[in-house]
Amino acid sequence: VTTTRLKDYLPPAYLVDSVTLDVDIHDGVTTVTSELALRRNPAAAVSDAMMFNGEGLTLRSLALDGKVLDENSYRYEDGELVLSGLPEKATLVSVVDIDPENNTALEGLYVSNGMYCTQCEAQGFRHITFFPDRPDVMSSFRTTVRADKKRYPLLLSNGNPVAQGEEGERHWVTWEDPFPKPCYLFALVAGDLACLEDVFVTCSGREVALRLYAEHRDLDKLDHAMASLKNAMRWDEHTYGCEYDLDIYMIVAVSHFNMGAMENKGLNIFNTACVLAHPATTTDAGFQRVESVVAHEYFHNWSGNRVTCRDWFQLSLKEGFTVFRDQMFSADMNSAAVKRVEDVDFLVNHQFPEDQGPMAHAVRPEEFEKIDNFYTLTIYEKGAEIVRMQYHLLGAEQFRKATDLYFARFDGQAVTCDDFVDCMQEVSGTDMGQFRRWYSQAGTPVLSVVDQVAPEGYRLTFRQHTPPTPGQAEKLPLVIPVRMALLDAQGEPVPLDEEGRREQVLIIDQQEQTFHFPVSESVTPSLLRGFSAPVVLEFDYRKDQLAALLSHDSDGYCRWSAAQRLYFAAMDRLVKGQSSPDLEAAALQPALEQVIDRAGEDFAQAALLLMLPSEVALGDRHSPLDPAAVHEAHQQLKQAIGRALQAHWLSLSENLLATELQMDGVAMGRRQLRNLALDYLAAGGHPEAARIAVELFELPLCMSEELGALRTLVHHGLSGAEQALAQFAQRWKDEALVMDQWFSVQASAPGESTIDVVAELLEHPAFDWKVPNRVRSVLGALAGSNPSAFNTPKGYQLFAQALGRVDALNPQIAARIANAAARLHRLEPGRQQLLRQQLQAVLETASANLREVLTRILS
Ligand code: BAL
Ligand code: ZN
């Protein structure tokens, strides 16, 4: 195992100014010829030796400046080819054979449903040819793809097509990408695909051909991605002044894909799940995901491709920034308040737990074994929060000046997170020194707040503390912006100072700070508005204060957070046996009724406020964790709320029914609330629930309705569930993405007995260990969102065995799924021991990817 460390970074000895690739695809063997124009790097220490990465390549020949190299003139071992005695400039030609047909790891060049495609980020290019596979080597690429004409009529690569020809039954196309890029942005596709074509006219009047490719049967599922792409292109021009630069923009949908999508220059490759959308087959959440992922990959054209990362420790430079950009885009396209709550919900329920576990790392980590394991929520989501804080600290106008400077100064370069913050600092004149700790310090800060009403006014005292994380025991104070207001008895913000401002941003940059406000009445603090910093906020709210925040606060996040606090407190008491479910539901009822009464203002927001935090999130509050007790408490509260408000759930289930399909935000919000109401109705054991669910299932307007009904039937074991599952499978057997949902609904049904269902699903003829989406739909659902089934002896055993099987095919996916076991150290001793034994058995044969994750979990 080799550990790569940030402190050891050295610039490459040689640069590759240009690459000419020839990829000759034949059944059983693909031959790659590459010609690299090497030049000594003036920014590196003088050396005549250069290292090229190459893995799984069958080397046929190497030639330097036209002279064939014999085996004594280079060293090739452990995936590294080293050449010494290189002149100032040289041309290296290599010829290698590769085997894409048997590439189940899905890195480099591989085959998906008869189509050749690539995934090179982070280190896939080394599986295609010899190359310095590091992001700070940026080259212009000229790529020729050759293949059988009939079977692969479409031959794509980055940039613009510049030549093509035919040779008997074969043909070839040459592509040229004029923008220097690192090899992780290289892409190639050879296949027989359908195309949806459109045109976008950029702000300077250039016409860009937009081409979205998918299998012929999926051509009718590309319209939403196309609309999203055009919206994203326009938005980036308006918001960031970023104009698209090539003549063509292509997206290709691929069924076998490790990630969601990939931003290869001019030729994005997408997991079908993130690009195909049709109301009949895609849920509303799926539509929103397509919109945001299409935008995300498009935005990378500037934040990632034109300006890229110097090394992989800087991954959040492009990912955090680009997630922030896609979040703001989706907020502009939809309801900003709802979007913010959804993003915060995701962060606090998934990234915060990562910070509490063995995989905790800084947004700019110090070291890694396999970089693939660092495509994490911390890099992406926390990274986005750090950019968001800078946006708010500077204000929209200054922030735009800073990003203008960033793009102008570093265009065509590979840079660092510090370079990004430097631009913020330079433009604003603010010292960002302490702020930079957000990049280097791992863990979620806890901000404890107490208030005091004194004769001279109201006081808030803040104390910050970041718990230790693996390898980082000592923590320093961070800069924490706290947007806040003080609400009077009517829920109105009171003036906070002589100028009469009713909202302020307090900057907490020391361990402890107190702020005074000239307020004498009794107030409720509305803190961290808009979730102004990624911290855990502790304040001992009274129940009536939380109810008041939930009812009156104008800030969407604070309303949601108040609801979460109420739910968690109720369930915590149930876990500890301190209360009864009916008492808790009765106490919550008035506040929930207020939300329901106002649901018409924003259905989606109402649904977010009425939804209980997940069982996993509840479990994260209890240590040692007894998942069975947590499951019981969660079920009990849900059932009691189902009973207490059953008249509301019934009327929402019936009255929000639409008669005609609409796909706008309001219609989606209605469906979301309606599905939730139906779920509560079923949880409360209402006799009408099964009838309503079956009716909806029989005649749905769209997949959100159909799947919502199916989920309610299956998760509550209602009569008709078995038949609905059979019917659904029959109806959708040819739609892989819909069948993923069929698998996932069953694997996530709460309760211990689901583990037997999962065992059967893994044996189902439609289950395929080689398709990441299918594997995730069962194993991801089980381990990530079904704690009552997962945390059983059988659950652990099945999980571990499956992990080993996935790992033998696809190490990246195995490692990702293994992260679900990261709560091991929180479990009660009995389960902890069982899970540990199972994981240890897998460790013995684990790939490097899986080993890194398991070793951390088991340490
Ligand atoms: N760069 C990997 C996929 C993404 O974040 O866009
Ligand atoms: Zn990205």
Side-chain angles (χ1 to χ4, degrees):
V1 178
T2 37
T3 301
T4 309
R5 295 193 172 80
L6 171 58
K7 68 176 172 51
D8 296 338
Y9 172 83
L10 284 175
Y14 280 77
L15 301 173
V16 181
D17 287 329
S18 65
V19 187
T20 307
L21 280 181
D22 187 293
V23 181
D24 195 13
I25 296 172
H26 291 268
D27 284 339
V29 64
T30 291
T31 303
V32 182
T33 305
S34 98
E35 185 179 319
L36 310 183
L38 306 174
R39 173 171 57 92
R40 190 169 281 156
N41 183 2
V46 175
S47 165
D48 66 2
M50 177 65 184
M51 192 273 278
F52 303 83
N53 305 93
E55 280 178 23
L57 311 175
T58 304
L59 176 55
R60 284 174 46 177
S61 69
L62 272 180
L64 193 67
D65 289 330
K67 241 182 76 195
V68 174
L69 297 179
D70 67 26
E71 279 175 28
N72 302 320
S73 50
Y74 60 86
R75 192 161 51 79
Y76 178 33
E77 55 191 20
D78 299 329
E80 297 187 350
L81 170 75
V82 180
L83 299 185
S84 311
L86 290 171
E88 191 72 24
K89 281 186 169 191
T91 302
L92 178 68
V93 176
S94 71
V95 183
V96 302
D97 285 341
I98 54 177
D99 182 15
E101 286 84 352
N102 290 307
N103 179 354
T104 59
L106 315 183
E107 303 179 72
L109 180 67
Y110 64 93
V111 181
S112 169
N113 292 355
M115 167 200 338
Y116 287 81
C117 61
T118 52
Q119 172 56 38
C120 293
E121 189 176 0
Q123 298 178 332
F125 196 68
R126 61 186 64 181
H127 297 267
I128 295 175
T129 189
F130 288 106
F131 201 79
D133 191 354
R134 43 188 295 169
D136 55 355
V137 174
M138 298 177 82
S139 325
S140 59
F141 279 68
R142 182 182 169 91
T143 305
T144 302
V145 189
R146 300 169 199 275
D148 183 86
K149 203 162 43 185
K150 253 219 210 90
R151 285 155 66 205
Y152 309 103
L154 192 71
L155 304 174
L156 309 176
S157 191
N158 317 85
N160 300 311
V162 293
Q164 61 187 57
E166 299 192 359
E167 295 155 353
E169 298 192 336
R170 296 173 61 77
H171 69 148
W172 57 271
V173 181
T174 299
W175 292 78
E176 217 169 64
D177 180 1
F179 294 96
K181 64 169 178 288
C183 65
Y184 81 85
L185 290 171
F186 170 78
L188 173 163
V189 169
D192 179 1
L193 300 171
C195 178
L196 176 70
E197 184 147 11
D198 208 330
V199 173
F200 180 82
V201 180
T202 70
C203 51
S204 73
R206 281 190 311 105
E207 281 195 2
V208 179
L210 308 178
R211 296 186 191 143
L212 273 48
Y213 295 98
E215 290 183 24
H216 292 275
R217 57 198 307 282
D218 292 323
L219 181 60
D220 64 340
K221 302 189 186 82
L222 291 169
D223 296 325
H224 181 59
M226 183 64 87
S228 304
L229 174 61
K230 289 196 282 187
N231 285 338
M233 294 178 88
R234 193 62 73 209
W235 187 90
D236 215 18
E237 290 180 344
H238 277 242
T239 316
Y240 283 89
C242 289
E243 182 181 356
Y244 187 62
D245 44 14
L246 288 164
D247 300 336
I248 312 177
Y249 191 86
M250 297 173 283
I251 295 179
V252 177
V254 172
S255 297
H256 297 64
F257 208 68
N258 286 350
M259 304 189 178
M262 180 62 212
E263 69 263 26
N264 317 301
K265 181 80 186 189
L267 177 55
N268 287 186
I269 296 182
F270 269 59
N271 186 324
T272 45
C274 295
V275 59
L276 302 182
H278 188 287
T281 52
T282 311
T283 61
D284 296 341
F287 266 77
Q288 281 162 1
R289 181 174 62 224
V290 167
E291 180 181 67
S292 78
V293 179
V294 166
H296 178 99
E297 306 312 330
Y298 174 72
F299 297 152
H300 268 316
N301 189 56
W302 278 93
S303 52
N305 300 2
R306 290 288 287 256
V307 181
T308 192
C309 304
R310 187 192 72 172
D311 53 72
W312 291 120
F313 299 100
Q314 320 294 330
L315 180 56
S316 194
L317 171 72
K318 74 178 177 79
E319 296 305 345
F321 185 23
T322 304
V323 170
F324 170 69
R325 278 150 58 68
D326 85 55
Q327 289 177 348
M328 294 296 269
F329 166 73
S330 293
D332 280 352
M333 295 294 121
N334 304 285
S335 155
V338 167
K339 174 66 180 158
R340 184 63 186 138
V341 171
E342 288 169 348
D343 291 338
V344 175
D345 187 349
F346 188 60
L347 183 89
V348 303
N349 287 312
H350 295 91
Q351 194 276 325
F352 282 13
E354 186 166 277
D355 268 349
Q356 287 175 20
M359 285 299 292
H361 57 273
V363 166
R364 185 184 53 226
E366 300 282 327
E367 58 180 51
F368 56 75
E369 283 168 23
K370 295 298 284 184
I371 183 58
D372 321 313
N373 288 333
F374 284 81
Y375 284 72
T376 60
L377 298 159
T378 300
I379 302 291
Y380 276 67
E381 316 303 323
K382 184 175 177 181
E385 293 301 319
I386 296 176
V387 175
R388 185 181 290 268
M389 284 190 283
Q390 295 176 71
Y391 172 83
H392 285 295
L393 286 171
L394 267 71
E397 209 173 301
Q398 297 260 49
F399 182 80
R400 168 66 194 272
K401 282 195 186 130
T403 58
D404 282 354
L405 176 64
Y406 172 74
F407 288 130
R409 179 180 289 173
F410 299 117
D411 189 9
Q413 296 183 46
V415 301
T416 65
C417 297
D418 271 327
D419 290 325
F420 181 83
V421 183
D422 284 347
C423 293
M424 301 289 148
Q425 179 160 319
E426 230 174 280
V427 161
S428 66
T430 319
D431 177 4
M432 307 283 283
Q434 188 184 350
F435 184 89
R436 289 172 206 258
R437 287 178 190 159
W438 278 106
Y439 286 95
S440 56
Q441 188 162 292
T444 310
V446 177
L447 190 61
S448 312
V449 190
V450 290
D451 67 350
Q452 200 176 32
V453 188
E456 63 278 16
Y458 183 78
R459 281 208 311 235
L460 283 172
T461 299
F462 294 80
R463 242 194 137 267
Q464 62 163 303
H465 158 75
T466 303
T469 51
Q472 218 183 47
E474 299 300 320
K475 306 288 181 180
L476 297 166
L478 296 162
V479 177
I480 302 177
V482 178
R483 194 146 71 81
M484 52 81 64
L486 300 174
L487 307 187
D488 65 16
Q490 285 71 46
E492 290 299 319
V494 303
L496 299 174
D497 53 23
E498 270 83 59
E499 289 156 40
R501 283 184 300 173
R502 288 164 199 269
E503 187 177 82
Q504 264 191 28
V505 179
L506 310 175
I507 302 294
I508 317 297
D509 55 7
Q510 295 156 38
Q511 216 153 52
E512 186 170 319
Q513 270 158 288
T514 297
F515 297 84
H516 299 258
F517 304 92
V519 173
S520 53
E521 63 192 299
S522 159
V523 289
T524 298
S526 166
L527 299 170
L528 213 64
R529 300 186 122 200
F531 197 64
S532 55
V535 302
V536 171
L537 183 112
E538 291 183 346
F539 182 83
D540 197 9
Y541 282 110
R542 296 189 313 268
K543 256 190 208 170
D544 62 298
Q545 288 183 309
L546 291 174
L549 287 169
L550 174 54
S551 304
H552 302 300
D553 202 324
S554 60
D555 184 78
Y557 160 72
C558 286
R559 287 185 77 193
W560 174 81
S561 169
Q564 295 279 301
R565 284 171 198 270
L566 287 167
Y567 294 131
F568 275 131
M571 290 190 288
D572 287 348
R573 286 187 288 271
L574 294 177
V575 173
K576 293 180 195 147
Q578 295 168 345
S579 173
S580 86
D582 289 328
L583 273 180
E584 293 297 344
L588 287 165
Q589 187 165 347
L592 302 189
E593 281 178 340
Q594 285 220 22
V595 174
I596 292 172
D597 286 345
R598 287 175 53 192
E601 291 170 20
D602 187 333
F603 294 115
Q605 190 178 35
L608 286 171
L609 295 176
L610 293 168
M611 188 153 45
L612 285 186
S614 72
E615 205 174 301
V616 176
L618 178 62
D620 284 341
R621 299 164 62 85
H622 295 270
S623 185
L625 167 62
D626 174 359
V630 165
H631 174 65
E632 184 69 13
H634 195 270
Q635 293 284 100
Q636 283 179 342
L637 186 66
K638 192 161 164 189
Q639 291 161 1
I641 293 176
R643 288 189 299 270
L645 285 99
Q646 62 175 350
H648 293 287
W649 304 133
L650 183 62
S651 87
L652 289 171
S653 298
E654 296 191 319
N655 298 340
L656 290 179
L657 192 60
T659 49
E660 152 185 348
L661 176 65
Q662 278 168 335
M663 294 304 290
D664 57 275
V666 176
M668 288 187 183
R670 279 173 81 107
R671 287 194 282 271
Q672 201 178 341
L673 182 56
R674 185 167 186 279
N675 280 346
L676 182 72
L678 184 56
D679 190 57
Y680 271 123
L681 195 69
H686 196 284
E688 287 294 291
R691 177 189 61 80
I692 297 175
V694 168
E695 278 178 16
L696 186 62
F697 180 77
E698 293 291 342
L699 277 177
L701 287 174
C702 59
M703 184 44 72
S704 266
E705 291 190 352
E706 186 171 345
L707 193 65
L710 182 72
R711 183 176 290 116
T712 295
L713 289 168
V714 173
H715 284 201
H716 297 284
L718 301 184
S719 74
E722 284 305 315
Q723 200 192 335
L725 278 171
Q727 216 171 307
F728 192 94
Q730 182 55 31
R731 212 183 275 170
W732 298 117
K733 58 182 188 307
D734 298 326
E735 293 286 344
L737 296 172
V738 184
M739 285 305 287
D740 288 338
Q741 304 280 8
W742 182 82
F743 278 95
S744 166
V745 160
Q746 295 178 77
S748 59
E752 247 184 78
S753 59
T754 292
I755 201 63
D756 296 323
V757 177
V758 171
E760 280 172 31
L761 291 175
L762 294 177
E763 299 295 323
H764 193 280
F767 187 81
D768 187 341
W769 294 90
K770 290 184 181 165
V771 183
N773 287 355
R774 193 54 51 87
V775 170
R776 280 185 281 252
S777 74
V778 177
L779 295 176
L782 169 73
S785 58
N786 196 348
S788 56
F790 174 60
N791 290 294
T792 57
K794 261 195 206 170
Y796 294 153
Q797 189 182 24
L798 180 146
F799 177 73
Q801 283 170 354
L803 210 52
R805 196 156 165 187
V806 175
D807 192 39
L809 295 165
N810 190 328
Q812 284 187 18
I813 296 298
R816 190 148 283 253
I817 290 176
N819 274 300
R823 289 179 173 86
L824 176 124
H825 62 294
R826 307 177 57 90
L827 288 167
E828 53 83 15
R831 284 184 176 83
Q832 187 169 146
Q833 174 67 12
L834 284 174
L835 180 55
R836 188 175 285 280
Q837 277 168 359
Q838 293 291 347
L839 296 182
Q840 236 136 16
V842 186
L843 190 57
E844 283 166 24
T845 56
S847 65
N849 287 66
L850 183 58
R851 193 165 57 235
E852 180 175 25
V853 173
L854 289 182
T855 307
R856 279 191 182 230
I857 291 175
L858 290 166
S859 67

